[in-house]
Amino acid sequence: MVDHEWTPLQKEVISGLSAGCITTLVVHPLDLLKVRLQLSATSAQKVHYGPFAVIKEIIHSSANTGRSRSKVINELYRGLSINLFGNAIAWGVYFGLYGVMKDLIYKAVEKPGQSQFQGVSNDHKINSLIYLSAGASSGLMTAILTNPIWVIKTRIMSTSKGVQGAYTSIYNGVQQLLRKEGLRGLWKGLVPALFGVSQGALYFTVYDTLKQRKLRRKRESGQNIHLTNLETIEITSLGKMISVTLVYPFQLLKSNLQSFKANEQKFRLFPLVKLIIANDGFAGLYKGLSTNLLRAIPSTCITFCVYENLKHRL
């Protein structure tokens, strides 16, 4: 019996989908805290609003029901289904496009006469500029395709289920949004989302550049040419810390433009920036950064450990 041989593109997509699903399940509560902290940036009354205040609110709202413990868990995992769906799709699309774009850009720049599709086999020949270009172009396409998912996700995760006007499900959210705001509502926050793509591009540039350096050293010393989990975690943590911190304000602006409040108060990008700075100074643009790093670094480590190991074994 002959084993099925996966193509490089299939490996990228399967590994990306699996990694996205597993990561989302593990860190979803931190994602919910991050969203609620980001949305507090537009409220002058919530200048000192922190992670513990969010948890306190969830516990307080849960105490009004007879099943407080299960209610707390339900609230911490509110929006899990759309977060799971969105991250699985986004990572699958991103990894698939990233693998293709690296190869296409490499051939266009380095090997214009080469016509055979080699997938990710050219990685050891690729420089940082190609990684940056591939990451940026893949991120832009992924952001445009998945923006409607993130609008619904932000609104579901920003409110408790019992709050008046809250979306009770993905279907209910889509229905309400289309009825009240039309198709344009599905692409709210797209502009900062497109600028925020630079985070992924920067991350992949750092990650793949450091990864190829480590693999080159292993190859030269005759070692097994595969990253260990510890090496993946080391590279991932450094890349994520740098990239997230540099472009975090775009994430915060995107969340606020996608919120219920954005529709009620007709938020626009530049007036929104002014409002946040007026409430809390420039520090307001980094509201929830520590929680985001606490979520982003371990979640990306999980994602890339799953991704690298699965791709290696497929």
Side-chain angles (χ1 to χ4, degrees), residues 97 191 267:
L97 288 172
V191 173
F267 283 160

Side-chain angles (χ1 to χ4, degrees), residues 188 261-268:
K188 286 199 169 178
K261 195 174 180 180
N263 187 50
E264 294 163 5
Q265 300 192 12
K266 308 297 180 188
F267 283 160
R268 294 293 178 268

Side-chain angles (χ1 to χ4, degrees), residues 94-110:
Y94 190 92
F95 276 119
L97 288 172
Y98 183 63
V100 171
M101 292 308 297
K102 278 190 296 185
D103 191 75
L104 289 176
I105 296 170
Y106 170 75
K107 286 177 182 176
V109 176
E110 303 289 345

Side-chain angles (χ1 to χ4, degrees), residues 236-282:
T236 296
S237 299
L238 180 61
K240 203 65 179 175
M241 196 177 298
I242 294 169
S243 60
V244 167
T245 304
L246 286 174
V247 301
Y248 181 77
F250 293 120
Q251 288 188 21
L252 182 138
L253 292 169
K254 181 188 82 166
S255 292
N256 279 280
L257 286 169
Q258 292 176 343
S259 67
F260 284 113
K261 195 174 180 180
N263 187 50
E264 294 163 5
Q265 300 192 12
K266 308 297 180 188
F267 283 160
R268 294 293 178 268
L269 185 58
F270 292 110
L272 177 62
V273 174
K274 286 182 182 177
L275 173 64
I276 292 169
I277 293 173
N279 285 341
D280 199 20
F282 283 97

